[in-house]
Amino acid sequence: MAADAVAAPELRARALQCLLEAEPGAKVAAIAVMAADALAGNCAPDVGAALLPSAPVPGRPARPELVHPRLLGQRSMATPEGRAMLIHALAHIEFNAVNLALDALWRFPDMPPDYYTDWLRVAAEEATHFSLLAAHLRLLGHEYGDFPAHNSLWEMVEKTCGDPLARMALVPRTLEARGLDAIPPMRAKLAQAGDLGAAQILDIILRDEIGHVEVGNRWYFHLCKQRGLEPGATYAELAVLYRAPTLRGPFNIEARRQAGFTEAELRALG
């Protein structure tokens, strides 16, 4: 999806419309149409426009019920119900990831055209991840919304809505990067339990998430350079200011390296 292939001033407004859509299937379909139109040159970022949402963001269905993470049930791989709960939790993460990509796309004006192209691609891929997990959940006899979920990822999106630097630092390169560490052991447990379909979906998600975290890293370093800030010290300050979660291992060092973390950052993980 070439950045110079888009030419009409509609992309950010359409991303906001997608974000406001509450029904997951309709949201996924709208993203697919938007991405196809962008590829065909029928919509492009109106980079300087100030947009205001017509309703609270993000649009989300009435279910799942959102609760504190401590109130979520245990997910045992030994039972179909436990595996369904895990797939549901992953589907919810991906639904939130769809919304955060759309939010990064519409919310911040005056970014380079490639920024919007990058986040459009991320939104489309996250929508695919959600669709794959929702379909697999259906095979297990459940629908998205059947189990409670938590809202931690979106809470950091809300905290960083005033600054793209903070957003890039603390959402893709902090919270989403945790997925790079978590996916391999989850994939192993699902495969061991005999759910090879879910394991294969996680292979796709890990591959794409490396690219998504790389997008966050690349634009974080771009904004630091633009503002004359030292990336390491700035990240530490932002993590304290916004109360980012403390990173805990084990870490997927190779995936993080592919996603654009510096060798100094990787060494600091221990």
Side-chain angles (χ1 to χ4, degrees), residues 40-76:
N42 295 327
C43 66
D46 188 6
V47 298
L51 302 177
L52 293 175
S54 59
V57 296
R60 64 169 83 245
R63 300 169 64 240
E65 177 189 6
L66 298 180
V67 300
H68 192 279
R70 287 197 298 268
L71 299 179
L72 297 176
Q74 295 297 312
R75 300 187 285 264
S76 169

Side-chain angles (χ1 to χ4, degrees), residues 163 165 220-235 237-238:
D163 184 2
L165 177 68
Y220 173 73
F221 288 119
H222 168 87
L223 289 165
C224 284
K225 182 177 180 180
Q226 185 182 69
R227 301 183 189 185
L229 300 172
E230 198 284 313
T234 300
Y235 178 81
E237 292 169 4
L238 291 170

Side-chain angles (χ1 to χ4, degrees), residues 9-120:
E10 299 178 358
L11 181 56
R12 289 179 54 240
R14 288 180 64 173
L16 178 55
Q17 291 173 358
C18 292
L19 182 62
L20 293 173
E21 173 58 56
E23 201 282 311
K27 188 189 293 280
V28 167
I31 292 169
V33 172
M34 177 176 61
D37 283 348
L39 186 63
N42 295 327
C43 66
D46 188 6
V47 298
L51 302 177
L52 293 175
S54 59
V57 296
R60 64 169 83 245
R63 300 169 64 240
E65 177 189 6
L66 298 180
V67 300
H68 192 279
R70 287 197 298 268
L71 299 179
L72 297 176
Q74 295 297 312
R75 300 187 285 264
S76 169
M77 295 300 97
T79 67
E81 183 83 355
R83 291 196 295 276
M85 290 173 67
L86 174 59
I87 299 301
H88 186 276
L90 294 171
H92 182 67
I93 289 170
E94 295 301 321
F95 185 74
N96 268 331
V98 171
N99 285 334
L100 77 84
L102 292 170
D103 196 84
L105 180 51
W106 85 266
R107 186 175 294 278
F108 302 113
D110 300 317
M111 294 291 286
D114 282 353
Y115 169 89
Y116 302 103
T117 301
D118 281 342
W119 284 106
L120 175 59

Side-chain angles (χ1 to χ4, degrees), residues 121-184:
R121 174 177 59 82
V122 173
E125 290 177 353
E126 300 287 22
T128 297
H129 299 168
F130 171 79
S131 297
L132 290 170
L133 290 165
H136 193 74
L137 184 63
R138 207 165 290 122
L139 292 177
L140 299 176
H142 292 277
E143 297 288 336
Y144 177 59
D146 283 357
F147 301 101
H150 68 80
N151 202 35
S152 299
L153 181 59
W154 188 259
E155 288 169 0
M156 184 59 78
V157 173
E158 291 180 330
K159 286 182 183 179
T160 56
C161 66
D163 184 2
L165 177 68
R167 174 68 60 84
M168 296 300 105
L170 301 177
V171 178
R173 67 184 251 114
T174 299
L175 297 184
E176 288 197 281
R178 295 170 76 180
L180 305 183
D181 309 320
I183 288 173

